[in-house]
Amino acid sequence: MAHPAFCGLSHRHLGELIEEVAPRWQARCESGRHVRRRGARQRQAGAGPKYELVLVDRLLVTLVHLRTGPTHDALAVIYEVGSSTIGRAIAEVRPLLADRGFAVPDRPGLRLRTLEDVFAYAAAEGVCLRIDGTETQVRRPQAHRPGRRVFVSGKRKQNTMKTTTISDHRGRLLWSGALRPGRMHDQTAMRTEGVAEQLRQHPTVKAEVDEGYRGLVNEFPYQVGAPPWKPKDIDDAPLTDRYGWREMRRRQSSRRICVEHANAEMRQWRPLQRYAGRREDYGEIHQAIAGLVSDRAARRATCHKPSTELVLVRTAVC
């Protein structure tokens, strides 16, 4: 199960994740035991029933379930335990992964957890943000329930949950959140999250968006860039105007396509392709997967390094 084809992480990444999660998991277990026994420990450490799955196995079970989406019964057969044990292991480890935040390129140990952290980082490092919304199909709510139509996406004509992704110019994931029902517009989801206030507080931060955020472009024309408006009577316009408009759209799309790559990287994980579980748990699952994707993206090199060293063919004569 530790193979990258099953868990989605390299062996080095998996080892670092175990070192990071182990103290928090141990502290959470001790806190739960203290609440259950209503006092301090009465027996020596190690006494009592033993875990059927150690922390490494619990973490692997959670990663495999998030990456490939097997059922609890299938994982129970592999580990020779009950399906309820698998469910408890996932319920214990998944919140720890969701609370990790997002890794920062070239800043080991630093994590971004809120939208305020992202804009503060962009202002300090001079990063131009790329913002885009993405949707994941979810189960349809039961009939005759209030708010049943709120999940129907006007673009996909399906029941979806909408999230917003922010990346840098190299497609490295910096933040993913603003979980909203699919019927809400992309721009409304970000405004309710407070993106307008962050743009006012950080006037040096710039961002690239698509047509769905035209209102932000009108309000912050010097900070937010979007595709240019289509000229009127484009078919009757001069040839230079038509080619100029298409070239401007192509360049803006080329600057913004990296955030699409970040969304595609998250969709390699099975729950974000089509989520069939409880909608109440989708936010936690999305945060857990996005944090793992940001870890892998932050490891990318910031500049190209040649594979061989340049050697002079002959000595130059001065």
Side-chain angles (χ1 to χ4, degrees), residues 116-136:
E116 292 80 1
D117 297 341
V118 176
F119 274 83
Y121 164 75
E125 300 292 336
V127 176
C128 181
L129 303 177
R130 271 66 172 176
I131 305 175
D132 187 41
T134 181
E135 296 180 79
T136 303

Side-chain angles (χ1 to χ4, degrees), residues 2-14:
H3 194 278
F6 290 99
C7 67
L9 306 181
S10 64
H11 295 293
R12 178 182 177 183
H13 188 186
L14 180 61

Side-chain angles (χ1 to χ4, degrees), residues 174-236:
L174 298 178
W175 185 80
S176 183
L179 182 67
R180 300 293 188 273
R183 195 177 183 86
M184 184 177 291
H185 197 273
D186 294 350
Q187 181 178 217
T188 306
M190 282 302 290
R191 284 187 178 275
T192 55
E193 197 70 18
V195 65
E197 288 75 10
Q198 294 303 317
L199 288 172
R200 294 190 186 96
Q201 294 179 9
H202 303 89
T204 59
V205 175
K206 299 183 181 300
E208 294 287 343
V209 297
D210 59 4
E211 290 285 358
Y213 301 89
R214 180 64 64 179
L216 288 176
V217 180
N218 298 334
E219 187 176 355
F220 305 95
Y222 300 104
Q223 293 181 253
V224 184
W229 285 104
K230 184 177 182 179
K232 296 181 179 179
D233 301 330
I234 186 65
D235 297 332
D236 300 332

